[in-house]
Short mmCIF file of all heavy atoms in Angstrom, two decimals:
data_model
loop_
_atom_site.label_atom_id
_atom_site.label_comp_id
_atom_site.label_asym_id
_atom_site.label_seq_id
_atom_site.Cartn_x
_atom_site.Cartn_y
_atom_site.Cartn_z
N ASP A 71 20.90 -1.52 -20.81
CA ASP A 71 21.35 -1.70 -19.42
C ASP A 71 20.61 -0.79 -18.47
O ASP A 71 20.26 -1.17 -17.35
CB ASP A 71 22.86 -1.42 -19.33
CG ASP A 71 23.66 -2.61 -19.80
OD1 ASP A 71 23.08 -3.70 -19.92
OD2 ASP A 71 24.87 -2.44 -20.04
N ASP A 72 20.38 0.45 -18.92
CA ASP A 72 19.66 1.37 -18.04
C ASP A 72 18.23 0.92 -17.84
O ASP A 72 17.66 1.05 -16.74
CB ASP A 72 19.70 2.78 -18.61
CG ASP A 72 20.96 3.50 -18.21
OD1 ASP A 72 21.74 2.91 -17.44
OD2 ASP A 72 21.17 4.64 -18.66
N LYS A 81 21.79 -2.47 -9.29
CA LYS A 81 22.90 -1.70 -8.74
C LYS A 81 22.51 -1.03 -7.45
O LYS A 81 23.31 -0.96 -6.51
CB LYS A 81 23.36 -0.65 -9.75
CG LYS A 81 24.33 -1.18 -10.74
CD LYS A 81 24.91 -0.09 -11.59
CE LYS A 81 25.10 -0.62 -12.97
NZ LYS A 81 25.06 0.39 -14.00
N GLN A 82 21.28 -0.54 -7.34
CA GLN A 82 20.89 0.13 -6.11
C GLN A 82 20.90 -0.85 -4.96
O GLN A 82 21.38 -0.55 -3.86
CB GLN A 82 19.50 0.76 -6.27
CG GLN A 82 19.50 1.93 -7.23
CD GLN A 82 18.12 2.51 -7.43
OE1 GLN A 82 17.32 1.95 -8.12
NE2 GLN A 82 17.87 3.64 -6.82
N ARG A 85 24.40 -1.70 -3.97
CA ARG A 85 24.97 -0.65 -3.13
C ARG A 85 24.57 -0.83 -1.68
O ARG A 85 25.39 -0.73 -0.76
CB ARG A 85 24.46 0.71 -3.60
CG ARG A 85 25.38 1.47 -4.47
CD ARG A 85 24.66 2.62 -5.09
NE ARG A 85 23.87 3.33 -4.09
CZ ARG A 85 24.30 4.38 -3.42
NH1 ARG A 85 25.50 4.81 -3.64
NH2 ARG A 85 23.53 4.97 -2.55
N MET A 89 27.09 -1.51 1.44
CA MET A 89 27.19 -0.59 2.58
C MET A 89 26.93 -1.32 3.88
O MET A 89 27.58 -1.10 4.90
CB MET A 89 26.22 0.57 2.40
CG MET A 89 26.67 1.53 1.33
SD MET A 89 25.88 3.11 1.43
CE MET A 89 24.36 2.77 0.60
N ARG A 90 25.94 -2.19 3.88
CA ARG A 90 25.63 -2.89 5.11
C ARG A 90 26.73 -3.86 5.49
O ARG A 90 27.06 -4.02 6.65
CB ARG A 90 24.29 -3.61 4.99
CG ARG A 90 23.13 -2.69 5.21
CD ARG A 90 21.84 -3.41 5.30
NE ARG A 90 21.50 -3.82 6.65
CZ ARG A 90 20.93 -3.02 7.56
NH1 ARG A 90 20.64 -1.78 7.25
NH2 ARG A 90 20.65 -3.47 8.75
N ARG A 93 29.40 -1.90 7.03
CA ARG A 93 29.03 -1.51 8.39
C ARG A 93 29.24 -2.66 9.35
O ARG A 93 29.81 -2.48 10.44
CB ARG A 93 27.57 -1.07 8.41
CG ARG A 93 27.08 -0.60 9.74
CD ARG A 93 25.61 -0.24 9.64
NE ARG A 93 25.42 0.94 8.83
CZ ARG A 93 25.51 2.18 9.31
NH1 ARG A 93 25.77 2.38 10.58
NH2 ARG A 93 25.33 3.21 8.52
N GLN A 96 32.95 -3.25 9.92
CA GLN A 96 33.55 -2.28 10.83
C GLN A 96 33.17 -2.59 12.28
O GLN A 96 33.97 -2.43 13.19
CB GLN A 96 33.07 -0.87 10.48
CG GLN A 96 33.78 -0.29 9.29
CD GLN A 96 33.29 1.10 8.98
OE1 GLN A 96 32.45 1.64 9.70
NE2 GLN A 96 33.80 1.68 7.92
N ALA A 109 22.77 3.66 12.24
CA ALA A 109 22.33 5.05 12.35
C ALA A 109 20.92 5.06 12.95
O ALA A 109 20.25 4.03 12.97
CB ALA A 109 22.34 5.70 10.97
N ASP A 115 6.64 6.79 8.31
CA ASP A 115 5.71 7.43 7.39
C ASP A 115 6.38 8.41 6.46
O ASP A 115 5.72 9.21 5.83
CB ASP A 115 4.60 8.13 8.20
CG ASP A 115 5.18 8.87 9.38
OD1 ASP A 115 6.39 8.85 9.58
OD2 ASP A 115 4.39 9.47 10.13
N TYR A 117 8.52 7.37 3.91
CA TYR A 117 8.70 6.81 2.58
C TYR A 117 7.37 6.74 1.86
O TYR A 117 6.45 6.09 2.30
CB TYR A 117 9.32 5.41 2.69
CG TYR A 117 9.70 4.86 1.34
CD1 TYR A 117 10.88 5.24 0.73
CD2 TYR A 117 8.86 3.96 0.72
CE1 TYR A 117 11.22 4.74 -0.51
CE2 TYR A 117 9.20 3.47 -0.52
CZ TYR A 117 10.38 3.84 -1.12
OH TYR A 117 10.72 3.34 -2.36
N ARG B 87 5.27 15.14 4.97
CA ARG B 87 5.83 13.82 4.66
C ARG B 87 6.94 13.94 3.64
O ARG B 87 7.99 13.30 3.75
CB ARG B 87 4.72 12.91 4.14
CG ARG B 87 5.16 11.49 3.96
CD ARG B 87 4.12 10.67 3.30
NE ARG B 87 3.95 11.07 1.92
CZ ARG B 87 3.10 10.49 1.09
NH1 ARG B 87 2.33 9.53 1.49
NH2 ARG B 87 3.00 10.89 -0.16
N GLU B 101 25.52 9.82 5.89
CA GLU B 101 25.92 8.60 6.57
C GLU B 101 26.77 7.73 5.64
O GLU B 101 27.74 7.11 6.06
CB GLU B 101 24.67 7.84 7.02
CG GLU B 101 24.93 6.59 7.78
CD GLU B 101 25.47 6.87 9.16
OE1 GLU B 101 25.17 7.94 9.70
OE2 GLU B 101 26.21 6.01 9.68
N GLU B 102 26.37 7.70 4.38
CA GLU B 102 27.14 6.89 3.43
C GLU B 102 28.54 7.45 3.26
O GLU B 102 29.52 6.71 3.18
CB GLU B 102 26.42 6.88 2.08
CG GLU B 102 27.13 6.08 1.02
CD GLU B 102 26.46 6.17 -0.31
OE1 GLU B 102 25.30 6.61 -0.36
OE2 GLU B 102 27.10 5.80 -1.30
N GLY B 115 27.03 7.71 -3.84
CA GLY B 115 25.96 7.76 -4.83
C GLY B 115 26.18 6.82 -5.99
O GLY B 115 25.32 6.70 -6.85
N GLU B 120 30.94 3.20 -10.66
CA GLU B 120 30.11 3.28 -11.85
C GLU B 120 28.75 3.83 -11.46
O GLU B 120 28.14 3.39 -10.48
CB GLU B 120 29.98 1.91 -12.53
CG GLU B 120 29.39 0.82 -11.69
CD GLU B 120 29.23 -0.44 -12.50
OE1 GLU B 120 30.25 -1.08 -12.76
OE2 GLU B 120 28.09 -0.76 -12.88
N LYS B 124 23.55 5.04 -16.84
CA LYS B 124 24.64 5.52 -17.69
C LYS B 124 24.20 6.61 -18.65
O LYS B 124 25.01 7.39 -19.12
CB LYS B 124 25.19 4.35 -18.53
CG LYS B 124 25.82 3.28 -17.69
CD LYS B 124 26.46 2.24 -18.58
CE LYS B 124 25.83 0.90 -18.29
NZ LYS B 124 26.39 -0.19 -19.05
N THR B 125 22.91 6.64 -18.99
CA THR B 125 22.52 7.51 -20.10
C THR B 125 21.79 8.75 -19.62
O THR B 125 21.24 9.48 -20.43
CB THR B 125 21.60 6.75 -21.06
OG1 THR B 125 20.47 6.29 -20.33
CG2 THR B 125 22.33 5.58 -21.66
N PRO B 134 14.76 6.42 -4.53
CA PRO B 134 15.34 5.32 -3.76
C PRO B 134 14.36 4.17 -3.60
O PRO B 134 13.15 4.36 -3.62
CB PRO B 134 15.64 5.97 -2.40
CG PRO B 134 14.66 7.05 -2.29
CD PRO B 134 14.40 7.55 -3.67
N GLU B 138 16.97 1.10 0.20
CA GLU B 138 17.90 2.23 0.25
C GLU B 138 17.49 3.23 1.31
O GLU B 138 18.31 3.83 1.98
CB GLU B 138 17.93 2.94 -1.10
CG GLU B 138 18.95 2.41 -2.04
CD GLU B 138 19.08 3.28 -3.27
OE1 GLU B 138 18.07 3.86 -3.68
OE2 GLU B 138 20.18 3.35 -3.80
N ALA B 141 18.55 1.96 4.61
CA ALA B 141 19.79 1.20 4.50
C ALA B 141 20.65 1.33 5.75
O ALA B 141 21.33 0.40 6.12
CB ALA B 141 20.57 1.67 3.28
N HIS B 142 20.61 2.50 6.39
CA HIS B 142 21.56 2.71 7.47
C HIS B 142 20.99 2.51 8.85
O HIS B 142 21.70 2.66 9.83
CB HIS B 142 22.13 4.13 7.36
CG HIS B 142 22.83 4.36 6.06
ND1 HIS B 142 24.04 3.80 5.77
CD2 HIS B 142 22.45 5.05 4.97
CE1 HIS B 142 24.40 4.17 4.56
NE2 HIS B 142 23.46 4.91 4.04
N GLY B 143 19.71 2.21 8.92
CA GLY B 143 19.12 2.00 10.23
C GLY B 143 19.17 0.54 10.60
O GLY B 143 19.62 -0.30 9.83
#
Side-chain angles (χ1 to χ4, degrees):
Chain A
D71 280 346
D72 275 356
K81 274 188 216 153
Q82 291 178 283
R85 261 168 46 94
M89 287 198 277
R90 279 189 90 82
R93 182 182 291 275
Q96 282 181 2
D115 44 0
Y117 188 80
Chain B
R87 187 187 68 179
E101 182 71 27
E102 179 184 346
E120 59 176 74
K124 296 186 239 182
T125 58
E138 270 189 328
H142 300 288

